């Protein structure tokens, strides 16, 4: 059936109701009255294109979705997002995050397709373990640990550090991006029809923490493949899915045998009599909670592990606790060392601390550099108009004027004009 | 009255030579910007510029409405044409308007030519030449415009407006 104004009006109402947005909220976003929204939804008032864009975004969709031949009101990513516990985020923040990330994913895929190039390293297919959702923390943590072991095995990583997580994820078919996300949001995962999309927050100042966030989202892709949208927010840390993804990230970045080998090589062999206990909602293996002083983990061991595996000091500390290298008392002692800056000082004294610092949020990073290169090449081949390229550049955070300067400098798409109608107006 | 859907580049090109106001003096022409173009003015100075043009009536604001126009805009964006450009072309196709384009030999102009024909596409130099012919801009002043545009990443294929008056 061809789309009519009446059908579009009905779809807008269904889409709004599907995500629990009130007419008053929709009216506020559009800057119009609530009765005007009502009129749009009854077909008594035509919806403008910008209004459609804003409403679609508000309802967790692309505006084009509402104009497709087929329409399913329950297909909203925003609804999926809320279903996994994102209610505590402001609704407009949810909407903004989902909308922007979905558009960036679409833009990147579109550019790759326009240039007829494979994604970086030729994206393959990610290994899904399809683990059933669990409400049991113990099971969730075991699932995370096991999934990491299996995934490392599948990828042939052995016990070595993960060399480059972005390359690795992209090679598994996962589109990755570092974006300026709202405060408190560490990352998010979208399972889209053309593949998973993972974004982490550029506001995170250190590379090891970014790596952990990326590994955490990788865990969501693998373990929560049926959840179309997941957000990692500091307020959701008690959610079992988050705990599971955290454990996946820790075990993926810091494989148990690798940690044991490294510590053994510096005179800190593992202890025997491992058992597992649950403590304050966390599951820990117990090797020895009262290690001898000569094998006790020291701040320099934490820094060594952190540097070797590219994991943050905090991630190493929790991993060592979960592997029973640390008692609660040891953990607190090392946490104090971290808080007082001892670990950081050690890092700069013995390791290259510069490697720890991520580019500032305003500095183009790897994702942005590749995106820009794709844009320039698409422009050069005339696969995309300058206006479209500018829309995309702005979408990922470039200033439009700066982008035009880059286009000009690169010489890929010089803007040329001429007299087209010499007798115009005569 | 000839209605022309104008994009961001066109407004900037006239602003760069200090002649945006000429749009309000061209009898028989009405320059319209769609909401999508209006949204592209994000910097405070740019916003002030477009606000002044709207307030003074040099340009007016219009919106794409109705399923047919929305579907056409969607189709054009899918062809990798910018939102602002697509909105201008949608209005031109749907309502019989003209459109401005200052980007020759590229994707947008080809699409515009195939949909509305070359006679309904005008350029910034066309508008300036018309203003010169009508005595709204002295030709000596207009002859300085190509250099200004060149400095702002917009090259034209003629040296001066004087030679075009011929």
């Amino acid at each position: 059936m061809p789309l009519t104004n009446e059908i579009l009006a009905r779809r807008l109402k269904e889409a709004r109701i599907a995500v629990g947005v009130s007419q008053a909220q929709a009216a506020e976003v559009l800057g119009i009255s609530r009765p005007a929204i009502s009129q749009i939804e009854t077909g008594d008032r035509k919806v403008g294109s910008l209004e459609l864009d804003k409403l679609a975004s508000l309802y967790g969709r692309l505006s084009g979705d509402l104009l497709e031949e087929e329409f399913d009101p329950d297909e909203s990513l925003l609804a999926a997002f809320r279903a996994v516990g994102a209610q505590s985020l402001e609704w407009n923040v949810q909407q903004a995050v989902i909308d922007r990330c979905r558009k960036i994913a679409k833009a990147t895929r579109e550019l790759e397709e326009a240039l007829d190039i494979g994604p970086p390293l030729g994206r393959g297919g990610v290994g899904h373990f399809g683990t059933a959702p669990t409400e049991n923390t113990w099971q969730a943590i075991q699932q995370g640990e096991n999934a990491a072991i299996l995934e490392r095995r599948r990828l042939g990583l052995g016990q070595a550090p993960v060399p480059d997580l972005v390359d690795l994820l992209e090679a598994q078919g996962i589109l990755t991006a570092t974006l300026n996300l709202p405060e408190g949001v560490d990352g998010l995962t979208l399972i889209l029809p053309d593949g998973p999309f993972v974004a982490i927050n550029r506001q995170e100042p250190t590379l090891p923490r970014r790596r952990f966030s990326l590994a955490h989202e990788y865990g969501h892709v693998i373990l929560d493949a049926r959840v179309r949208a997941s957000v990692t927010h500091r307020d959701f840390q008690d959610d079992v899915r988050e705990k599971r993804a955290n454990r996946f990230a820790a075990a993926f970045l810091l494989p148990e045998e690798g940690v044991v080998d490294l510590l053994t090589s510096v005179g800190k062999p593992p202890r025997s009599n491992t058992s597992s206990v649950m403590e304050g909602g966390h599951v820990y293996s117990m090797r020895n909670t009262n290690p001898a002083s000569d094998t006790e983990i020291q701040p320099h061991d934490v820094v060594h592990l952190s540097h070797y595996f590219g994991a943050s000091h905090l991630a190493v500390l929790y991993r060592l606790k979960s592997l029973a290298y640390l008692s609660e008392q040891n953990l607190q002692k090392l946490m104090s060392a971290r808080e007082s800056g001892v670990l950081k000082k050690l890092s700069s004294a013995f390791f290259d601390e510069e490697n720890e610092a991520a580019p500032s949020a305003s500095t183009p990073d790897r994702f942005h550099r590749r995106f820009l290169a794709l844009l320039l090449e698409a422009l050069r081949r005339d696969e995309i108009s300058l206006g479209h390229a500018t829309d995309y550049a702005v979408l990922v955070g470039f200033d439009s004027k700066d982008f035009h300067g880059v286009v000009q400098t690169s010489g890929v798409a010089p803007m040329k004009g001429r007299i087209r109608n010499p007798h115009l107006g005569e | 009255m000839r209605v022309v859907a104008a994009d961001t580049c066109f407004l900037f090109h006239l602003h760069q030579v200090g002649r945006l106001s000429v749009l309000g003096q061209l009898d028989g022409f009405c320059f319209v910007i769609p909401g999508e173009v209006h949204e592209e003015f994000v910097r405070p100075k740019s916003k002030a510029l477009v606000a002044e043009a709207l307030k003074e009536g040099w340009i007016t604001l219009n919106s794409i409405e109705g399923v047919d126009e929305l579907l056409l805009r969607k189709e054009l964006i899918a062809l990798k044409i910018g939102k602002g450009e697509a909105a201008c072309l949608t209005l031109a196709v749907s309502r019989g308007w003209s459109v401005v384009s200052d980007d020759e030999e590229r994707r947008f102009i080809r699409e515009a030519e195939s949909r509305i024909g070359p006679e309904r596409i005008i350029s910034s130099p066309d508008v300036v030449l018309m203003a010169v012919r009508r005595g709204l801009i002295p030709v000596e002043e207009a002859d300085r415009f190509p250099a200004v545009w060149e400095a702002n990443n917009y090259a034209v294929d003629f040296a001066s407006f004087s030679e075009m008056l011929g």
Side-chain angles (χ1 to χ4, degrees):
Chain A
M1 183 189 295
L3 184 67
T4 62
N5 288 313
E6 290 70 31
I7 292 173
L8 178 59
R10 194 166 63 240
R11 286 180 177 184
L12 283 167
K13 184 176 182 178
E14 289 171 351
R16 179 182 58 75
I17 290 169
V19 291
V21 171
S22 69
Q23 285 190 337
Q25 285 174 315
E28 185 188 336
V29 167
L30 258 54
I32 61 177
S33 67
R34 196 201 59 74
I37 290 289
S38 182
Q39 287 175 335
I40 286 173
E41 292 183 353
T42 54
D44 293 332
R45 177 186 182 284
K46 284 183 180 174
V47 64
S49 54
L50 285 187
E51 291 173 337
L52 181 71
D53 290 349
K54 286 177 184 168
L55 289 176
S57 166
L58 180 62
Y59 304 155
R61 297 169 184 277
L62 299 175
S63 58
D65 295 352
L66 290 152
L67 300 170
E68 293 290 343
E69 280 188 24
E70 300 292 325
F71 174 74
D72 181 350
D74 297 323
E75 277 294 298
S76 167
L77 268 184
L78 186 58
F81 196 56
R82 286 178 172 169
V84 293
Q87 294 92 334
S88 61
L89 279 179
E90 292 283 332
W91 62 272
N92 55 343
V93 173
Q94 297 175 29
Q95 169 260 319
V97 170
I98 288 277
D99 185 54
R100 185 152 173 262
C101 288
R102 186 172 177 182
K103 284 177 179 164
I104 288 171
K106 180 173 178 281
T108 310
R109 305 274 191 204
E110 187 180 292
L111 285 169
E112 289 174 352
E113 194 181 309
L115 295 172
D116 198 24
I117 52 172
L121 301 176
R123 290 192 189 108
V126 70
H128 294 288
F129 297 105
T131 314
T134 177
E135 293 304 318
N136 179 306
T137 300
W138 167 278
Q139 284 177 358
I141 288 175
Q142 290 303 318
Q143 285 170 349
E145 182 85 29
N146 291 338
I149 292 168
L150 289 172
E151 185 64 355
R152 287 188 71 96
R153 191 179 297 157
R154 189 182 75 84
L155 296 168
L157 292 174
Q159 302 304 318
V162 179
D164 186 307
L165 209 44
V166 172
D167 277 351
L168 188 145
L169 264 65
E170 294 266 348
Q172 303 313 306
I174 303 167
L175 188 59
T176 65
T178 45
L179 303 171
N180 287 320
L181 298 174
E183 191 185 350
V185 175
D186 291 330
L188 93 163
T189 295
L190 303 179
I191 306 297
L192 300 170
D194 49 3
F197 172 79
V198 155
I200 57 167
N201 201 338
R202 291 178 83 191
Q203 310 290 341
E204 173 50 59
T206 70
L207 287 175
R209 299 249 335 235
R210 286 189 187 181
R211 273 167 63 83
F212 191 88
S213 292
L214 210 48
H216 176 101
E217 298 307 324
Y218 190 26
H220 281 308
V221 172
I222 287 174
L223 290 157
D224 298 316
R226 289 182 215 123
V227 180
R228 294 175 57 225
S230 303
V231 65
T232 303
H233 190 278
R234 65 174 67 130
D235 291 345
F236 308 160
Q237 286 175 0
D238 289 335
D239 184 280
V240 285
R241 287 184 197 277
E242 296 307 306
K243 286 182 177 175
R244 184 165 73 169
N246 265 341
R247 185 56 170 255
F248 173 89
F252 192 72
L253 293 176
L254 294 150
E256 180 172 1
E257 285 182 39
V259 170
V260 169
D261 287 350
L262 191 75
L263 288 174
T264 301
S265 77
V266 292
K268 306 274 168 81
R271 304 242 157 200
S272 55
N273 301 327
T274 302
S275 60
S276 297
V277 296
M278 190 161 169
E279 193 178 303
H282 298 275
V283 178
Y284 301 114
S285 299
M286 302 296 290
R287 276 181 220 275
N288 186 337
T289 55
N290 187 21
S293 60
D294 59 345
T295 56
E296 189 176 309
I297 300 297
Q298 299 298 314
H300 59 260
D301 296 319
V302 175
V303 172
H304 187 192
L305 281 164
S306 163
H307 185 74
Y308 183 77
F309 285 105
S312 68
H313 298 148
L314 196 61
V316 169
L317 287 172
Y318 280 121
R319 185 62 174 155
L320 288 174
K321 178 75 167 72
S322 73
L323 295 176
Y325 270 97
L326 298 178
S327 66
E328 185 59 31
Q329 193 184 2
N330 294 142
L331 178 67
Q332 292 312 318
K333 205 159 94 181
L334 290 165
M335 282 288 195
S336 299
R338 175 179 172 270
E339 281 154 23
S340 64
V342 169
L343 299 183
K344 201 172 176 193
K345 277 185 196 165
L346 271 174
S347 283
S348 63
F350 295 105
F351 302 100
D352 182 6
E353 200 190 14
E354 290 299 308
N355 284 339
E356 304 275 304
S360 74
S362 58
T363 306
D365 61 10
R366 180 173 168 164
F367 164 73
H368 291 82
R369 285 193 295 269
R370 177 170 187 265
F371 195 89
L372 181 60
L374 290 176
L375 279 179
L376 293 176
E377 185 57 23
L379 270 173
R380 188 186 73 79
R381 297 189 197 177
D382 202 16
E383 290 287 344
I384 183 171
S385 79
L386 181 59
H388 203 59
T390 308
D391 290 345
Y392 279 177
V394 170
L395 180 65
V396 300
F398 289 108
D399 177 89
S400 62
K401 198 172 177 187
D402 293 346
F403 175 67
H404 286 168
V406 171
V407 171
Q408 176 66 15
T409 305
S410 68
V412 294
M415 189 178 273
K416 292 176 187 165
R418 66 180 172 97
I419 300 282
R420 295 185 63 89
N421 292 286
H423 303 291
L424 183 70
E426 286 183 1
Chain B
M1 177 70 73
R2 186 165 180 176
V3 183
V4 183
D7 69 0
T8 314
C9 288
F10 171 67
L11 298 182
F12 271 130
H13 289 155
L14 289 183
H15 169 66
Q16 283 157 4
V17 297
R19 282 295 192 168
L20 189 56
S21 60
V22 83
L23 296 180
Q25 300 171 292
L26 293 166
D27 291 340
F29 283 80
C30 172
F31 292 88
V32 174
I33 60 165
E36 284 83 347
V37 169
H38 186 251
E39 284 210 328
E40 288 176 355
F41 292 87
V42 290
R43 292 187 174 195
K45 273 187 181 176
S46 306
K47 277 187 176 175
L49 167 78
V50 77
E52 183 190 13
L54 286 166
K55 186 183 164 199
E56 297 295 331
W58 304 335
I59 58 173
T60 57
L61 191 59
N62 213 306
S63 173
I64 287 170
E65 286 180 346
V67 160
D68 291 342
E69 289 187 350
L70 291 170
L71 285 170
L72 178 55
R73 185 189 74 143
K74 177 176 179 260
E75 180 189 334
L76 292 169
I77 291 173
L79 292 171
K80 302 182 186 69
I81 287 171
K83 269 177 85 173
E85 298 166 328
C88 288
L89 190 50
T90 296
L91 291 172
V93 171
S94 169
R95 304 184 190 183
W97 296 356
S98 295
V99 73
V100 174
S101 177
D102 280 341
D103 201 6
E104 287 295 322
E105 303 167 22
R106 306 294 296 181
R107 197 173 188 84
F108 174 74
I109 203 105
R110 286 199 307 275
E111 200 58 42
E113 283 183 343
S114 76
R115 289 177 187 260
I116 61 174
E119 65 282 355
R120 276 164 59 196
I121 304 169
I122 63 176
S123 65
S124 292
D126 288 347
V127 171
V128 170
L129 185 62
M130 176 167 58
V132 169
R133 286 191 198 282
R134 295 183 179 190
L136 299 170
I137 299 176
V139 70
E140 298 78 17
E141 180 188 340
D143 278 345
R144 292 194 289 273
F145 295 174
V148 175
W149 287 332
E150 181 102 36
N152 285 280
N153 307 332
Y154 175 49
V156 291
D157 68 350
F158 57 93
S160 72
F161 283 95
S162 304
E163 72 184 51
M164 306 307 296
L165 288 171

